[in-house]
Amino acid sequence: MSTPAREPRSAVDGDVVVETALRLVEEHDVSALTMRRLAAELGTAVTAIYWHVGNRDALLDLLVERLIADMGTVRVTGRTPRARISSLLRAWRQRLLERPHLIAIAHERGRTAEMFQPMQAGLARELAAVGLHGEAAAAAVRVLQFHVVASVVLQRTAGRGPATNPTDPAAWPDIPDPDLVGALAVPVDHDEMFRFGLDALLDRLLPA
Amino acid sequence: MSTPAREPRSAVDGDVVVETALRLVEEHDVSALTMRRLAAELGTAVTAIYWHVGNRDALLDLLVERLIADMGTVRVTGRTPRARISSLLRAWRQRLLERPHLIAIAHERGRTAEMFQPMQAGLARELAAVGLHGEAAAAAVRVLQFHVVASVVLQRTAGRGPATNPTDPAAWPDIPDPDLVGALAVPVDHDEMFRFGLDALLDRLLPA
DNA sequence: ACCTGAACACCGTTCAAGT
DNA sequence: ACCTGAACACCGTTCAAGT
């Protein structure tokens, strides 16, 4: 005889709008999120969406909000501080790579900082363990976050387009080093590039 | 009595279409480049553009082509190889920052590699001077190019949006270091971040 | 060879009208 | 409080028709 705490009265509410929009974006692309397509997916008139979420712009903000809320902490492994920092950043990179379309939206709307708040907190803890505080720690957080974001953004956009177009070696009269030209023709290994840059940065940032 | 080599017979041709499109994109945004607006700017019917350049997608390709053709070499200063490499990369970063919208288009279309061909050539020359060849040189070229592109892409997208939203320090219970939180609240200095990362990478890449 | 206008299938958004 | 349909001002693109 107990009734559910809240009887839904309408067919759709703000939450299912956001969830459906999220699905459209993650499965396809931000361009797949049109008000008409969303309405079709929800089985309502287009204009019903406007009542719940305002407009498309506000809906994108809600998606970002949801993404930020989902960004919990991350498992860290390793015994030395350097290993732990490296593990932390690699895990974050991995997590971001799983939601490329959403993080692109967040990034375009200037919400990266918020999105990274948990990562910054974890990083701050590890940096404190090696004696970095205040401005020095902030600079380190920024440089490392830059590296993670850059890696993800570049890998994401490189995934689209005509296979990154590794330039025709024959059309390179300016570089008189055939081995170099040949090596540049093979596809980029983003994982390795990330690790290389990360190691270089940690060498600089962490006290010996 | 001499006639010009070629008498233009039509009001518009492919070149003025591309030039006008270029202007629209550089002055505003890629979203300002609509076929109808372009036609208005040219004083023709919308459909005339289709005769000259195909469609919007092909037009974007032509813009990228033009950008790539414009990417000549760059003045390099400094006496040590390291100083010269650093100068080269800073100059390229500067050049890219001057045309943010266009490089964004090129990047989204997977044409970054072509765009950077002259930079890669200059870089190869300098790397050869310090004894780097073949695969090692290619890896260095890639890592350094990654750093330049990343810096430009992030700075560009950070320029839009609500001032990058430096997170409210009061909402940071997770970081028990008020100086760090305060330091993270001031806006990012992209120039400094670029130089810091560049120095770290060069330390790793160049032989002592 | 070059350009036009009409038409089609899409967008986001507003608004008066319904329950 | 919640939803609808019609309407408006935009898109890119096609196509038959004009010169």
Side-chain angles (χ1 to χ4, degrees):
Chain A
M1 297 299 142
S2 69
T3 51
R6 233 184 182 285
E7 192 74 30
R9 289 172 310 165
S10 56
V12 305
D13 64 356
D15 278 342
V16 313
V17 171
V18 170
E19 273 151 27
T20 311
L22 223 46
R23 226 190 55 231
L24 281 176
V25 168
E26 297 212 286
E27 276 176 15
H28 306 86
D29 203 334
V30 61
S31 73
L33 178 57
T34 72
M35 304 303 271
R36 285 173 163 85
R37 175 149 183 195
L38 185 53
E41 212 84 15
L42 290 165
T44 65
V46 197
T47 43
I49 300 168
Y50 284 82
W51 197 91
H52 287 292
V53 300
N55 57 18
R56 190 170 185 272
D57 206 61
L59 176 55
L60 288 176
D61 274 337
L62 290 175
L63 295 190
V64 174
E65 229 67 70
R66 188 71 69 102
L67 172 70
I68 290 171
D70 280 359
M71 285 286 167
T73 48
V74 117
R75 274 196 60 76
V76 178
T77 65
R79 278 212 301 286
T80 71
R82 177 170 180 141
R84 293 174 61 80
I85 291 173
S86 180
S87 139
L88 175 73
L89 293 173
R90 276 181 288 118
W92 270 92
R93 174 161 178 273
Q94 214 45 56
R95 155 167 302 190
L96 294 170
L97 283 174
E98 282 157 16
R99 318 187 79 178
H101 302 305
L102 271 175
I103 76 113
I105 297 173
H107 183 237
E108 267 157 32
R109 312 199 128 231
R111 306 286 294 271
T112 26
E114 281 165 87
M115 183 169 73
F116 280 107
Q117 207 276 343
M119 186 187 86
Q120 292 179 339
L123 211 44
R125 224 180 330 269
E126 301 296 339
L127 290 172
V130 295
L132 281 182
H133 304 278
E135 289 217 12
V141 166
R142 272 185 169 156
V143 169
L144 294 172
Q145 177 172 320
F146 169 93
H147 191 64
V148 173
V149 176
S151 163
V152 171
V153 168
L154 292 197
Q155 180 164 357
R156 177 182 59 82
T157 55
R160 307 177 297 187
T164 325
N165 235 332
T167 39
D168 181 10
W172 280 42
D174 317 24
I175 302 186
D177 181 346
D179 289 348
L180 195 169
V181 174
L184 281 175
V186 316
V188 182
D189 183 337
H190 289 275
D191 262 50
E192 199 188 313
M193 212 142 82
F194 175 74
R195 262 174 310 209
F196 184 95
L198 181 55
D199 277 346
L201 291 174
L202 291 178
D203 274 355
R204 270 261 162 153
L205 291 166
L206 302 186
Chain B
M1 295 298 145
S2 70
T3 52
R6 234 185 178 284
E7 192 74 31
R9 288 174 310 166
S10 55
V12 304
D13 64 358
D15 278 342
V16 314
V17 172
V18 171
E19 274 150 26
T20 310
L22 223 47
R23 226 191 53 230
L24 281 176
V25 168
E26 298 211 284
E27 275 176 17
H28 307 85
D29 202 334
V30 60
S31 73
L33 178 57
T34 73
M35 302 305 269
R36 284 173 163 85
R37 174 148 185 197
L38 185 53
E41 212 84 16
L42 290 165
T44 65
V46 197
T47 43
I49 300 169
Y50 284 81
W51 197 92
H52 287 292
V53 300
N55 56 19
R56 189 170 186 272
D57 206 62
L59 176 55
L60 288 175
D61 273 338
L62 291 175
L63 295 189
V64 174
E65 228 68 68
R66 188 70 70 101
L67 173 69
I68 291 172
D70 280 359
M71 285 286 168
T73 49
V74 117
R75 273 196 60 75
V76 177
T77 64
R79 277 212 302 286
T80 71
R82 177 168 181 144
R84 294 174 61 80
I85 291 173
S86 180
S87 140
L88 175 74
L89 293 172
R90 277 181 287 118
W92 269 93
R93 173 161 179 275
Q94 215 44 56
R95 154 169 303 190
L96 294 170
L97 283 175
E98 282 157 15
R99 318 187 78 179
H101 302 307
L102 272 175
I103 78 112
I105 297 174
H107 183 237
E108 266 156 32
R109 312 199 130 229
R111 307 287 295 272
T112 25
E114 282 165 87
M115 184 168 72
F116 281 107
Q117 209 275 343
M119 185 186 86
Q120 292 179 338
L123 212 44
R125 224 181 328 270
E126 301 295 339
L127 290 171
V130 294
L132 282 181
H133 304 278
E135 290 219 9
V141 166
R142 270 183 170 156
V143 169
L144 293 173
Q145 177 172 322
F146 169 94
H147 190 63
V148 173
V149 176
S151 163
V152 171
V153 169
L154 292 196
Q155 180 164 356
R156 178 183 58 83
T157 55
R160 307 177 298 188
T164 324
N165 236 332
T167 39
D168 181 11
W172 280 41
D174 316 25
I175 302 186
D177 180 346
D179 289 350
L180 196 169
V181 174
L184 281 175
V186 316
V188 182
D189 182 338
H190 289 274
D191 261 50
E192 198 187 314
M193 213 143 79
F194 174 74
R195 263 174 310 210
F196 184 95
L198 180 56
D199 277 346
L201 291 174
L202 291 178
D203 274 355
R204 271 264 162 152
L205 290 166
L206 302 187

